[in-house]
Structure formats: C-alpha cells, structure tokens
Amino acid sequence: MSPSTTTDLRRDDAATELLAAVPAATHPRGRRARPRSGRLGTIAVFLAPALVLFLLLVIAPILVAGYASTFKWNGFGLPENFVGLDNFTRAFQDPTFLGDLWRSLVLITLSLVIQLPVSLGLAMLLNQPLKGRSVYRLIFFAPYVLSEVTTAVLFTLVLSPNRGLGDTLSKWLGADAGAVFADPDTVLIALFLVISWKYFGFHMILYLAGRQGIPRELTEAATTDGASAWQVFRHVTLPLLGPTIRISVFLSVIGSIQLFDMVWVLTGGGPIHASETMAVTMYQFGFRRFEVGYASAISIIMFLLSLVFALFYQRYVLRRDTEGAITTRGVQR
C-alpha cells in the first residue's frame, strides 16, 4: 500500500468520526424531522393569546346575547322570565324594526349605486398623470381619517339652523339646509350624503391601489390594438379590478347593516324614527328602555344577517378570488 493511499484512508476515517460527532439535527443530509407534537405545541403557543381574546371579545358576547334574547329581562340581576323566541317574533312584528330593515336596504342600495361608482371614477381620474394628484388624493382620503363621531359633530355644526355655515350659505341660495335632519322626507338622504363624504375616500384608495396593480403593458397593448379609452376600461381595467370591487361591496354592505355612531350623534334616529337603524333601535331598547332581552334579540338578528350575507358572498361571489389562496405543504424532507 502506497503512502498516499494510507493518508487518504486516515482522512476518510477522520471525516467519518467528525460526522458521527455532529448531531443528526444539524447534519445537512441527516436532518431529522421535527416531531409533530413539537410543531403543534409551537402553533398553540403563538395562537393562544389571539384565541383567548377572540373567545372573550367575540364568541362569549354572542353566546351571552343569544342566551339573554330568550328572556324578558331588564338587565338587572339574573334573567328569570323565559320567553323563548317571543323577542324575535316581536321584532319582526314591530313596525320600527321593519322600518330599520327597509332603511338599511335603502342605504345599501344607494351605496352600491352611487357611492362606489363615484369612488371608482375618482380613482380612475386620480390615476392619470395630473399635476398635484398626490394632494388631491390626500384631500379626498382625509375624511376617512376622522372618526364617525367627529364627522357627525362636524356636520351638526355646519348644518346647525341659524348658526351653521352650510345653513347660512343655503339660505343665500334660497334653500334651508339646516332643516334636512329635521325633515323625515330628507333626513335619510342627508345621512347618506354624510356617510358618503366620509367613506368614499376609503373606497377610492382601494380602487386606486387595485388599478396600480394592473400591469401597464396590458392597457398599452389594448391601446395599440386600437381600443378606445372606454373599451380599455370596460374590457381590461374593470375585469382586473373585479376582486377589489367585490371586497369594496362586501365592506359597504356590512358597514350599512351595523351603522350606529354617526346616526346616533347626528339624528338619534329621528325625527319619528325616519333615520333609525337596527343598531340604534337596539341601543334605545337596551340602554334607554332597559329591555335587554329584546335588544339582545335585535343584536342576534343583526349578527345573523351579517353572517348569512358573509357566508353567501364568500361562497358565490368571492369563491374564485380565494381559490388557491390556501396552500398545502407537500414538500417531503
């Protein structure tokens, strides 16, 4: 055996001993899979805080409201007068609550027909190379930064009869803007305009972000092929904005169902229940009339309406947007 062969054998023996001394977990070829119980434990540790908060702040209130809705209860002591589903029957026989459902439907329709298209058009306009467009974007988005209470107080002052700036200017033009919140025929439209003023900037930013995510090459190719600006928007931009539009519609509908703060500060649901929503009615019965059982039934109805709409929308409208979003881990090590 030659000296070089002896040296090579010694090197191989040394390498073998070194590899044997290295833990298998750190060896690149001998890495052992982490026990499944360890992975589940790590997941549980990270999920536990969020899960506890979700149970305490979401699931527990729903269960308590569902339990209280089966009692005639004033909120003091423990509920004892069990009435079953009478509170729910009462709600659907109450003209005020039925009016709340109708007004919510009107607000949803106006939002989908007016507010969202205006937001989309404004987003398309501000996507053009306009001078100072960043300033315009900031101005249009600024109302969304304000809270609903702040927005309601602001419009209460602006349209205050005989004192507000809006009321004064409208009287110079021969109108009476200060009376819009006191007239049952105009209060809902006025409320919708205030809501639109606050939220159209939010939807505008959503559409603008979606538009900027569309590759420029697609619109340029369509223009090169002879498509007009309207045809490019109709057949290229609008279909690619579909996921953003569907999310915007979803948020608008859910927000209309749960509308409370702005209505309560602006009108309190008046005059004569003309601007009252389901959340305002729930508050009135729960904290003003101390009919907590009936108010809990209204809250459960609101929850079920939102849940059914969300599930239906997810199943039939957002389905193709979420397909492939959840991936499985199929890599073998």
Side-chain angles (χ1 to χ4, degrees):
M1 183 179 295
S2 64
S4 61
T5 304
T6 304
T7 303
D8 293 339
L9 290 175
R10 289 176 180 176
R11 288 178 179 175
D12 292 341
D13 293 339
T16 303
E17 293 176 359
L18 181 61
L19 290 175
V22 177
T26 60
H27 192 272
R29 294 186 179 180
R31 183 176 298 169
R32 291 178 295 186
R34 191 174 183 181
R36 185 175 181 84
S37 59
R39 294 200 303 269
L40 293 178
T42 303
I43 294 173
V45 169
F46 281 98
L47 282 182
L51 185 61
V52 169
L53 289 176
F54 181 76
L55 291 174
L56 291 178
L57 301 180
V58 179
I59 301 300
I62 292 174
L63 295 177
V64 171
Y67 177 75
S69 66
T70 60
F71 290 85
K72 185 178 181 180
W73 183 41
N74 61 4
F76 298 97
L78 295 176
E80 298 178 353
N81 189 3
F82 180 78
V83 295
L85 299 178
D86 287 354
N87 286 322
F88 295 92
T89 303
R90 173 186 173 186
F92 288 104
Q93 294 176 348
D94 184 1
T96 299
F97 182 76
L98 295 178
D100 296 342
L101 293 174
W102 169 251
R103 284 182 286 273
S104 297
L105 181 61
V106 170
L107 291 175
I108 290 172
T109 304
L110 291 176
S111 297
L112 299 182
V113 173
I114 299 176
Q115 180 183 342
L116 299 189
V118 170
S119 301
L120 178 60
L122 191 59
M124 296 302 101
L125 177 62
L126 294 181
N127 190 60
Q128 302 299 318
L130 301 175
K131 185 177 181 180
R133 64 178 179 178
S134 298
V135 177
Y136 294 136
R137 292 174 183 176
L138 177 62
I139 292 174
F140 290 134
F141 182 73
Y144 178 70
V145 179
L146 301 176
S147 68
E148 291 194 354
V149 173
T150 303
T151 302
V153 172
L154 174 64
F155 275 89
T156 300
L157 297 176
V158 169
L159 298 177
S160 177
N162 302 321
R163 293 182 299 175
L165 177 62
D167 180 65
T168 301
L169 293 178
S170 66
K171 287 181 178 179
W172 287 351
L173 299 175
D176 188 8
V180 292
F181 291 127
D183 188 346
D185 296 329
T186 59
V187 63
L188 194 61
I189 300 299
L191 180 63
F192 167 72
L193 293 177
V194 176
I195 295 172
S196 298
W197 180 84
K198 173 173 170 54
Y199 285 106
F200 85 98
F202 169 74
H203 295 283
M204 179 201 72
I205 290 296
L206 284 182
Y207 297 143
L208 187 59
R211 175 61 184 85
Q212 293 179 348
I214 298 175
R216 183 179 299 177
E217 292 80 3
L218 297 177
T219 56
E220 290 178 350
T223 303
T224 303
D225 290 340
S228 64
W230 167 250
Q231 290 174 329
V232 171
F233 174 77
R234 172 66 181 84
H235 298 288
V236 178
T237 304
L238 198 59
L240 293 177
L241 275 178
T244 305
I245 294 174
R246 287 187 281 272
I247 290 295
S248 178
V249 169
F250 176 79
L251 295 175
S252 181
V253 173
I254 294 296
S256 298
I257 293 175
Q258 301 175 354
L259 188 63
F260 171 73
D261 305 38
M262 193 177 298
V263 179
W264 181 254
V265 177
L266 271 175
T267 65
I272 320 175
H273 307 292
S275 63
E276 199 162 305
T277 63
M278 288 182 285
V280 172
T281 302
M282 178 188 68
Y283 182 86
Q284 290 277 16
F285 279 97
F287 297 95
R288 292 294 183 88
R289 304 184 187 183
F290 298 102
E291 297 184 32
V292 178
Y294 182 54
S296 298
I298 295 177
S299 70
I300 293 298
I301 294 173
M302 291 176 56
F303 166 72
L304 291 177
L305 287 175
S306 301
L307 179 63
V308 169
F309 171 75
L311 293 177
F312 176 85
Y313 202 81
Q314 172 77 20
R315 176 67 177 83
Y316 295 102
V317 180
L318 296 180
R319 181 178 181 180
R320 61 179 178 178
D321 297 333
T322 57
E323 285 180 352
I326 300 177
T327 58
T328 57
R329 190 177 180 181
V331 179
Q332 300 293 331
R333 292 186 176 182

